[in-house]
Every structure is written in C-alpha cells, then in structure tokens.
C-alpha cells in the first residue's frame, strides 16, 4: 500500500506540473499540457485506480491551492477523472461463462472477458465532449456570447499578423470561431486516446499491465451509438446553445467512428504482403492533410451498418494446418 501511495503522489505531482506548464507559454509546454493525463494513466494501469485517485486528488488540490479553484476544476474534469476512470475500465474483467474451473485441489485461474475496447472508445468520446462543453461554458452561457468570445480571442491572435488585410482577417476569424468547438473536441478526443495507448504501452513494456493486450482491430462501438449520433445530428439544426453542444457531441462520436474505421482498415489489409507500408501511408495522409479522416469515418459507419469486418473474415479461407 505504501508503494501505491508513493506512486500516486509521484504521478500526481508529474501530472500537475505538466498541466501547469502551459502558463509559461513555451512551445514545449503545449506538448506537456496534452500529455498531462499520461502519468495518472500509467499509475492507474500499473498500480490500480487507487494510485490514480491519490495522484488526482493531490494534483487537483495543489493546483487549486496555488492557482485557484478554476485550475483545480479544469484539471479534475479534463485530466484526473478521465485518467482514473479509463484506467479502471481498462482493467475491468469478468469470468467467461462456462469457463473451466480446473480439477483437483488447485482450481485453474478463470478465463476473463475484458471490458470491450469499443466501449472504452465511447467513454473517451464522452469525456472529450464533456471537456469541450465545460471549456465553452467558461466563455459564456449562450451561443452568441461564446462565439463572440472566440472571435475576440482569435482576433487578438490573428490581428498581430500583417499577412492579410483587415477584411480577410475578419473572414478568417468568423470561420475559425464556427469550427473552434469541433476542433477542440477533436484535439481532446485524440489526446485522451493517445495518452491511454501510450500508458498501456509503457505498462505493458514494463510488465505492469495486468491484462493481455487487446485486439484493437476488432474494436467496435455499441450499436446504440448510431442512434445517439442520429439524435445529436438532429439537434445540430435547432440553433442556440443546444445546437453547439450537439455539434460537439456529434464531432466526438464521428471521431470515435473514425478510429473504428482505422480498425476496419487494419482488418481489410490482413492479406496484403506490404500491409505495414500501406497502413503507414494511410496514417501519414490522414495526419498530414486532415480531411482524409472523413474516409475513415465513412468506413467506420459502413462497418457499423453493414458489418464489413464480419463479412470479410467469414469470406477468408481457413488457415492451413501446420505440418
């Protein structure tokens, strides 16, 4: 227990320092800020959710005491709670029904069914949407106030540049203010996903991951996610604050389907000899240009509706027996 407390304290201090580094304004601080959940996730996966709980409480309390209550709340919502909960879900397992219990006086360890990766992905989307909505509410309590606050902030950033005329800057500011909530949601979604993957890799490499590595290419979202996406899309057209929040939710769910689209791509390329090369090219194109992620979203949605992976795997010939 002492080791868990010490690990939690160390993870909390590291996470708080990384979170607070954004105040410095240095470019490296942006990377540290986005990686702030990583120490707590490593603690949660390697030493259990209790370690992450201790670290999160210590970090949030320290930030609140030094910088004020807003920093404490922001850290808790965007870093501590997601790191603790996602670490807890990743280690959640239950015995498979009908698993063999062994024979004799020494019962065999039960085979476990681990919490599905797709449901963890859905939780990540929920946390990303919640964090973005909370950030928007700090700018105002209605859509017009939030948009105006975003425009003022973007005007201060772009106004310092003389590369464009005043009219061009105004058009850029108006366009960026519209897409800013969705962009923030994408960043939050990708940040949490990357942190959880890195934390899992670190704990697996160190031998502290108390579960087998999941089959990521089989990840799929729950069927009701399509219903939630349809409802969120419908609310995008009603206007006002509800429409803004619906757009944030829609973006988070779309990015979740984009990640399942990559899982579909990993499955469909199993038979290719140069599979690694083509997968690297696909990732590079999406990261470089951004908009090709729409193809991944479409692939994820198509798999959810038509079961592309199941059809592909059923159509594959069985592997030859080893001689």
């Amino acid at each position: 227990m002492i080791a868990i407390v010490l690990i939690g304290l160390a993870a909390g201090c590291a996470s708080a320092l990384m979170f607070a580094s954004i105040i410095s304004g240095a470019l490296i601080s942006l990377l540290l800020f986005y990686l702030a959940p990583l120490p707590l996730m490593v603690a949660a996966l390697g030493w259990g959710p209790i370690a992450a709980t201790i670290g999160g409480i210590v970090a949030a309390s320290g930030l609140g005491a030094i910088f004020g209550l807003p920093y404490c709340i922001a850290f808790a919502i965007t870093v501590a709670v997601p790191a603790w909960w996602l670490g807890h879900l990743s280690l959640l397992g239950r015995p498979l029904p009908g698993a063999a219990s062994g024979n004799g006086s020494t019962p065999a360890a039960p085979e476990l069914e681990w919490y599905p990766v797709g449901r963890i992905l859905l939780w990540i989307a929920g946390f990303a949407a919640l964090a973005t909505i909370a950030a928007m509410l700090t700018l105002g309590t209605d859509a017009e106030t939030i948009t105006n606050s975003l425009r003022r902030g973007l005007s201060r950033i772009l106004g310092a540049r003389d590369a464009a005329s005043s009219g061009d800057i105004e058009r850029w500011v108006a366009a960026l203010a519209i897409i800013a909530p969705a962009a923030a949601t994408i960043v939050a979604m990708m940040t949490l996903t990357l942190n959880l993957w890195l934390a899992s890799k670190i704990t697996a490499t160190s031998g502290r991951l108390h579960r087998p590595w999941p089959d990521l290419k089989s990840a799929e979202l729950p069927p009701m996610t399509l219903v939630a996406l349809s409802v969120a899309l419908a609310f995008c057209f009603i206007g006002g604050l509800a429409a803004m929040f619906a757009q944030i939710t829609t973006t988070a769910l779309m990015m979740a389907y984009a990640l399942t689209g990559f899982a579909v791509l990993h499955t469909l390329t199993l038979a290719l000899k140069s599979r690694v090369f083509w997968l690297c090219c696909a990732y590079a194109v999406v990261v470089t240009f951004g908009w090709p992620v729409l193809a991944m979203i479409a692939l994820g949605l198509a798999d959810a509706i038509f079961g592309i992976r199941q059809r592909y795997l059923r159509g594959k010939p069985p592997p030859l027996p080893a001689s």
Side-chain angles (χ1 to χ4, degrees):
M1 186 63 188
I2 295 177
I4 292 176
V5 172
L6 292 176
I7 290 295
L9 290 173
C13 291
S15 187
L17 287 172
M18 294 166 74
F19 185 83
S21 67
I22 195 69
I23 299 174
S24 69
L27 187 60
I28 189 64
S29 67
L30 191 62
L31 176 62
L32 295 174
F33 176 79
Y34 285 134
L35 292 177
L38 183 59
L40 292 178
M41 285 184 177
V42 170
L45 292 172
W47 287 267
I50 295 178
T53 303
I54 295 171
I57 292 173
V58 169
S61 302
L63 288 171
I66 298 172
F67 300 106
L69 185 61
Y71 276 84
C72 174
I73 296 174
F75 180 85
I77 292 176
T78 61
V79 177
V81 174
W84 163 73
W85 185 244
L86 293 174
H88 165 71
L89 292 179
S90 299
L91 299 179
L92 202 60
R94 63 182 180 185
L96 283 169
S101 58
N103 49 27
S105 58
T106 306
E111 234 184 296
L112 295 179
E113 178 186 13
W114 298 96
Y115 197 78
V117 174
R119 291 184 181 272
I120 294 177
L121 197 58
L122 191 58
W123 275 104
I124 292 175
F127 280 124
L130 177 63
T132 307
I133 289 172
M136 294 299 109
L137 288 176
T138 62
L139 302 176
T141 55
D142 60 87
E144 186 177 357
T145 304
I146 293 172
T147 303
N148 290 335
S149 298
L150 289 171
R151 284 181 178 177
R152 285 194 296 271
L154 290 168
S155 295
R156 285 194 296 269
I157 296 172
L158 297 178
R161 303 178 182 178
D162 298 326
S165 64
S166 178
D168 291 335
I169 290 177
E170 286 298 324
R171 284 192 290 271
W172 273 106
V173 165
L176 291 175
I178 293 174
I179 65 173
T185 307
I186 294 173
V187 171
M189 180 82 182
M190 294 299 99
T191 299
L192 281 176
T193 304
L194 178 62
N195 275 291
L196 184 59
W197 183 83
L198 284 174
S200 302
K201 279 293 184 182
I202 290 170
T203 50
T205 303
S206 64
R208 297 290 311 183
L209 186 62
H210 303 298
R211 61 158 295 168
W213 189 259
D215 183 17
L216 297 179
K217 67 179 181 293
S218 65
E220 58 182 4
L221 297 171
M224 288 302 293
T225 308
L226 275 175
V227 178
L229 178 59
S230 301
V231 172
L233 276 171
F235 274 93
C236 288
F237 300 97
I238 66 175
L241 194 63
M244 180 178 286
F245 291 170
Q247 290 164 9
I248 291 171
T249 304
T250 300
T251 303
L253 293 177
M254 286 289 193
M255 291 309 299
Y257 275 112
L259 292 174
T260 60
F262 278 108
V264 176
L265 188 64
H266 276 258
T267 301
L268 299 182
T269 55
L270 284 173
L272 295 180
K273 292 183 179 179
S274 53
R275 177 172 179 259
V276 174
F277 170 76
W278 291 113
L279 288 175
C280 289
C281 288
Y283 280 102
V285 168
V286 171
V287 171
T288 303
F289 298 102
W291 63 264
V293 75
L294 296 174
M296 294 297 103
I297 294 173
L299 191 57
L301 288 170
D303 179 70
I305 297 171
F306 302 110
I308 294 176
R309 275 177 291 187
Q310 288 78 4
R311 292 171 182 266
Y312 173 78
L313 293 174
R314 281 201 302 265
K316 287 184 64 177
L320 296 174
S323 55

